[in-house]
Amino acid sequence: MSTNGKPMSGAVVEGVDFERWAVVLCKPDAVARGLVNRILGMISDAGITVSDRMDVVAQPWQPHVVYRDMLADTGRRNLCDLPAYIDAAYANQTVTVALAHGGLGIHAKLRQLIGHTDPTRAVAGTIRGDLGDDSLAVANTEKRLIRNLVHTSDDPPSARREYGTWWGPGRRLLESDFDTCSVILCKPDAVERGLVDAVLERIAAAGVSVRLRADVTVQPWQAHVHYWDLLVDADYFPDRDIPACLDDAYAGKKVTVALAYGEPGIHARLRQLIGHFDPTRATAGTIRRDYGNDSLEAALAEKRLVHNLVHTSEPAGVIDTLRLARATYKDLPSYALDALIEHVAPDLSQAPRVGRHRATYDAYATAQLLLAMADHYETWDQLVAAAVPPGLPGAPEPEQEPTLW
């Protein structure tokens, strides 16, 4: 340690045996060609444990650190062009990083597995030999870096340095417009059943861009924050201990999270795609119906949360169900809850057995009415225009009156 308390020589992590841990970087060409799963699978098949996978939009400084030795090597030809080549290949491009864990010598084992720098010289059975489609000759002619799919840390010091580069505090999220961006959570049951790739591929096939995938071990507080509404409304579930259910389902378990990018209304589109929270009631073609193997009935009997594979974030904003009811069912004599239940006749067979005029029953009935009313609108924007009072979060922006200025 240095005298000011900062670790020396890039030792940004204490207590990790980087003799047995390596960093795997799937480069932008691997991501663009859809080869990340195959590459990580080949590493796993070699008896190396792959974990903590994460999709990252590379900031310019990050590949500079990864290629530190090349940049500092004054003996390399075309050194003056190398920084520009690195920036062109990596800056603001999506890469996938992961940790590889094995025995002593893992770094040499990985280098042997990925193969020669030039895919045309890599032997069969190596990642670059089997999957590469570029050559050093072509790269030199086109004045760029060679596209050879994957990099692994060379030795323990570089593994320590690259771990800090990708997982350290310098990372930042390059997205703030959450009207067009949603968080996807592939739950522990999706991970345990090996369905994460299938779930994310279904979402991507719906015209949504899925990026920044990360494998995470859940800390208890994360589940509590994520399901704050279940905890606050715990009296809705009088037969279950919700805090205990959450801890049992999530704490210490592996999940996969990702960001989904699309057009405004993406939250509603994703909820429609994943389907009803009870897989047995989800319609065919939704993720939960096609892949689900649990039911609300079984979860209630076993006093646990239902295993339904995936969750997506809710849109910010306020839905005024009374305002929506007046817009949807015009000229009703009354819009009281009893009158709306009688008019719409929603399915209340699963409602809490406490009866009408109790908070949990009324909340369930209101939710079923909201689902019924949503069927009258073709798009999320149409529903919002009818349901959100002006000036509240989520309301459409009013058209500005033309002025001289």
Side-chain angles (χ1 to χ4, degrees), residues 16-22 100-110 153-160:
V16 177
D17 183 4
F18 284 105
E19 296 280 353
R20 301 174 185 272
W21 286 93
H101 184 251
L104 296 175
I106 186 174
H107 303 282
K109 184 176 181 179
L110 283 171
S153 46
D154 292 328
D155 49 39
S158 65
R160 183 184 297 272

Side-chain angles (χ1 to χ4, degrees), residues 36-55:
V36 172
N37 290 338
R38 288 187 65 183
I39 290 169
L40 297 182
M42 290 177 73
I43 294 173
S44 296
D45 291 344
I48 296 170
T49 300
V50 177
S51 66
D52 295 274
R53 168 178 170 162
M54 178 172 62
D55 295 344

Side-chain angles (χ1 to χ4, degrees), residues 50 203 213 233 258 382 396 403:
V50 177
I203 292 173
R213 167 175 169 165
D233 295 330
Q382 290 175 358
T403 68

Side-chain angles (χ1 to χ4, degrees), residues 12 16 22 39 60 73 78 85 106 127 129 160 166 254 278 289 310 321 340 359 391 394-395:
V12 296
V16 177
I39 290 169
D73 185 354
N78 300 322
Y85 291 176
I106 186 174
I127 293 171
R160 183 184 297 272
W166 299 113
K254 296 286 188 181
D278 181 351
R289 180 56 179 267
V310 61
T321 51
L340 288 171

